[in-house]
Amino acid sequence: MGTRTLTVGVLLAGALLLGAGAMDTSEFDHAMEPILTKYLTIQIALAAGETDGIEGAVHAIERLAKKLDPEMAGGDHAEHYENIPADILSACERLLEAKEIGSIREAFKDLSKPMSMWVTMAKPEGKSVMYCSMEKAGWVQDGAEVANPYLGPAMQSCGQKVGGAD
Protein backbone atom coordinates (compact mmCIF):
# COMPACT_ATOMS: atom_id res chain seq x y z
CA MET A 1 0.00 0.00 0.00
CA GLY A 2 1.46 3.33 -1.07
CA THR A 3 1.68 6.52 0.97
CA ARG A 4 -1.07 8.11 -1.07
CA THR A 5 -3.48 5.21 -0.45
CA LEU A 6 -2.70 5.26 3.27
CA THR A 7 -3.25 9.03 3.44
CA VAL A 8 -6.60 8.78 1.62
CA GLY A 9 -7.62 5.93 3.95
CA VAL A 10 -6.75 7.96 7.05
CA LEU A 11 -8.63 11.00 5.72
CA LEU A 12 -11.72 8.89 4.95
CA ALA A 13 -11.64 7.27 8.39
CA GLY A 14 -11.33 10.68 10.02
CA ALA A 15 -14.24 12.05 8.00
CA LEU A 16 -16.38 9.07 9.02
CA LEU A 17 -15.51 9.57 12.69
CA LEU A 18 -16.26 13.29 12.49
CA GLY A 19 -19.54 12.58 10.75
CA ALA A 20 -20.55 10.10 13.44
CA GLY A 21 -19.83 12.59 16.21
CA ALA A 22 -21.56 15.47 14.47
CA MET A 23 -25.08 14.08 14.55
CA ASP A 24 -27.59 16.81 14.08
CA THR A 25 -30.50 17.76 16.26
CA SER A 26 -33.12 17.81 13.51
CA GLU A 27 -35.31 15.10 15.06
CA PHE A 28 -35.42 16.95 18.39
CA ASP A 29 -35.89 20.29 16.63
CA HIS A 30 -38.78 18.89 14.60
CA ALA A 31 -40.46 17.69 17.82
CA MET A 32 -39.99 21.16 19.34
CA GLU A 33 -41.77 23.00 16.51
CA PRO A 34 -45.36 22.31 17.70
CA ILE A 35 -44.29 23.22 21.25
CA LEU A 36 -42.97 26.51 19.92
CA THR A 37 -46.27 27.16 18.14
CA LYS A 38 -48.22 26.71 21.40
CA TYR A 39 -45.63 28.73 23.32
CA LEU A 40 -46.13 31.62 20.89
CA THR A 41 -49.88 31.48 21.57
CA ILE A 42 -49.09 32.23 25.21
CA GLN A 43 -46.53 34.94 24.38
CA ILE A 44 -48.97 36.73 22.06
CA ALA A 45 -51.82 36.58 24.60
CA LEU A 46 -49.65 37.94 27.42
CA ALA A 47 -48.24 40.71 25.23
CA ALA A 48 -51.85 41.74 24.55
CA GLY A 49 -52.68 41.59 28.26
CA GLU A 50 -54.99 38.60 27.85
CA THR A 51 -55.16 35.10 29.28
CA ASP A 52 -57.65 33.47 26.88
CA GLY A 53 -56.29 30.28 25.37
CA ILE A 54 -53.29 30.06 27.68
CA GLU A 55 -54.45 27.06 29.72
CA GLY A 56 -55.21 25.04 26.57
CA ALA A 57 -51.83 25.94 25.09
CA VAL A 58 -50.07 24.89 28.30
CA HIS A 59 -51.86 21.52 28.31
CA ALA A 60 -50.83 21.00 24.68
CA ILE A 61 -47.21 21.90 25.46
CA GLU A 62 -47.24 19.50 28.40
CA ARG A 63 -48.58 16.67 26.22
CA LEU A 64 -46.00 17.36 23.49
CA ALA A 65 -43.09 17.75 25.93
CA LYS A 66 -43.78 14.32 27.40
CA LYS A 67 -42.93 12.90 23.98
CA LEU A 68 -39.61 14.76 23.76
CA ASP A 69 -36.58 12.56 24.12
CA PRO A 70 -33.19 14.22 24.59
CA GLU A 71 -31.69 11.18 22.84
CA MET A 72 -33.15 12.63 19.62
CA ALA A 73 -30.42 15.27 19.80
CA GLY A 74 -26.82 14.63 18.95
CA GLY A 75 -23.73 16.58 18.14
CA ASP A 76 -22.53 19.78 19.74
CA HIS A 77 -25.83 20.73 21.39
CA ALA A 78 -26.80 17.32 22.78
CA GLU A 79 -25.87 18.08 26.37
CA HIS A 80 -27.65 21.44 26.22
CA TYR A 81 -30.84 19.76 24.97
CA GLU A 82 -30.77 17.18 27.75
CA ASN A 83 -32.78 19.16 30.34
CA ILE A 84 -35.16 20.94 27.97
CA PRO A 85 -38.05 18.42 28.26
CA ALA A 86 -37.96 18.36 32.09
CA ASP A 87 -37.63 22.15 32.28
CA ILE A 88 -40.62 22.61 29.97
CA LEU A 89 -42.74 20.19 32.00
CA SER A 90 -41.80 21.88 35.27
CA ALA A 91 -42.72 25.28 33.84
CA CYS A 92 -46.05 23.91 32.61
CA GLU A 93 -46.90 22.79 36.14
CA ARG A 94 -46.21 26.27 37.46
CA LEU A 95 -48.22 27.89 34.66
CA LEU A 96 -51.22 25.65 35.37
CA GLU A 97 -51.10 26.65 39.04
CA ALA A 98 -51.08 30.38 38.17
CA LYS A 99 -54.54 31.94 38.28
CA GLU A 100 -54.10 35.64 37.49
CA ILE A 101 -52.13 37.42 34.78
CA GLY A 102 -49.30 38.54 37.09
CA SER A 103 -48.55 35.01 38.30
CA ILE A 104 -49.00 33.64 34.77
CA ARG A 105 -46.40 36.12 33.53
CA GLU A 106 -44.00 35.09 36.30
CA ALA A 107 -44.49 31.40 35.47
CA PHE A 108 -44.03 32.16 31.77
CA LYS A 109 -40.47 33.24 32.58
CA ASP A 110 -39.73 29.63 33.56
CA LEU A 111 -41.10 28.31 30.26
CA SER A 112 -39.21 30.96 28.32
CA LYS A 113 -35.81 29.80 29.62
CA PRO A 114 -35.70 26.39 27.88
CA MET A 115 -37.52 27.79 24.86
CA SER A 116 -35.01 30.63 24.52
CA MET A 117 -32.11 28.20 24.89
CA TRP A 118 -33.52 25.98 22.17
CA VAL A 119 -34.26 28.86 19.77
CA THR A 120 -30.76 30.24 20.33
CA MET A 121 -29.27 26.90 19.26
CA ALA A 122 -31.78 25.73 16.63
CA LYS A 123 -32.46 29.15 15.08
CA PRO A 124 -35.92 28.39 13.66
CA GLU A 125 -36.73 30.75 10.82
CA GLY A 126 -38.29 34.07 11.80
CA LYS A 127 -38.04 33.48 15.55
CA SER A 128 -36.25 35.92 17.85
CA VAL A 129 -35.05 35.64 21.43
CA MET A 130 -35.84 38.88 23.21
CA TYR A 131 -34.80 40.25 26.59
CA CYS A 132 -36.41 42.82 28.91
CA SER A 133 -33.93 44.39 31.32
CA MET A 134 -36.77 45.73 33.50
CA GLU A 135 -38.12 42.21 34.10
CA LYS A 136 -34.70 40.57 33.83
CA ALA A 137 -36.28 37.91 31.64
CA GLY A 138 -36.24 36.70 28.08
CA TRP A 139 -38.80 35.21 25.74
CA VAL A 140 -39.23 33.95 22.19
CA GLN A 141 -41.42 35.61 19.60
CA ASP A 142 -42.05 35.87 15.88
CA GLY A 143 -40.00 38.57 14.20
CA ALA A 144 -37.86 41.28 15.72
CA GLU A 145 -40.49 43.89 16.63
CA VAL A 146 -40.71 43.73 20.42
CA ALA A 147 -43.94 42.30 21.89
CA ASN A 148 -43.16 42.05 25.62
CA PRO A 149 -45.29 39.40 27.38
CA TYR A 150 -44.22 40.51 30.87
CA LEU A 151 -45.25 44.16 30.69
CA GLY A 152 -48.13 43.79 28.24
CA PRO A 153 -49.77 46.67 26.40
CA ALA A 154 -48.48 49.31 28.83
CA MET A 155 -44.85 48.73 27.81
CA GLN A 156 -45.10 46.24 25.00
CA SER A 157 -42.04 47.59 23.16
CA CYS A 158 -39.70 47.29 26.16
CA GLY A 159 -36.94 44.86 25.24
CA GLN A 160 -34.39 44.00 22.61
CA LYS A 161 -33.44 41.12 20.38
CA VAL A 162 -30.59 39.05 21.80
CA GLY A 163 -30.71 35.90 19.66
CA GLY A 164 -32.54 33.64 17.27
CA ALA A 165 -32.57 33.49 13.51
CA ASP A 166 -30.76 36.26 11.67
Side-chain angles (χ1 to χ4, degrees):
M1 178 163 34
T3 305
R4 182 170 183 204
T5 305
L6 181 59
T7 302
V8 170
V10 169
L11 288 173
L12 285 172
L16 288 172
L17 286 173
L18 284 174
M23 289 173 32
D24 67 28
T25 58
S26 61
E27 188 177 356
F28 189 93
D29 294 341
H30 182 71
M32 284 292 293
E33 288 172 8
I35 293 172
L36 178 59
T37 299
K38 294 299 181 182
Y39 169 92
L40 291 172
T41 299
I42 301 168
Q43 180 267 321
I44 291 166
L46 292 175
E50 299 175 5
T51 59
D52 292 344
I54 290 178
E55 186 174 346
V58 174
H59 281 296
I61 291 170
E62 192 174 43
R63 193 171 50 257
L64 292 163
K66 287 179 180 176
K67 296 177 185 177
L68 276 179
D69 181 0
E71 295 295 318
M72 292 188 268
D76 296 339
H77 296 308
E79 97 178 44
H80 300 293
Y81 280 44
E82 188 174 19
N83 294 322
I84 289 176
D87 291 346
I88 290 172
L89 289 170
S90 175
C92 284
E93 286 178 29
R94 187 160 177 228
L95 271 162
L96 291 171
E97 291 170 0
K99 299 301 178 206
E100 50 87 25
I101 197 162
S103 60
I104 293 170
R105 284 181 166 139
E106 282 301 310
F108 186 67
K109 291 177 182 179
D110 290 340
L111 181 58
S112 293
K113 290 174 186 174
M115 296 303 294
S116 295
M117 179 190 298
W118 175 72
V119 168
T120 298
M121 292 183 290
K123 298 189 184 324
E125 187 176 331
K127 306 306 181 248
S128 296
V129 177
M130 310 300 280
Y131 183 78
C132 173
S133 59
M134 288 181 66
E135 286 295 314
K136 295 181 180 30
W139 72 93
V140 176
Q141 66 174 45
D142 276 317
E145 186 176 327
V146 180
N148 190 318
Y150 306 119
L151 301 175
M155 294 188 70
Q156 192 172 34
S157 63
C158 181
Q160 64 184 16
K161 182 176 177 176
V162 295
D166 294 328

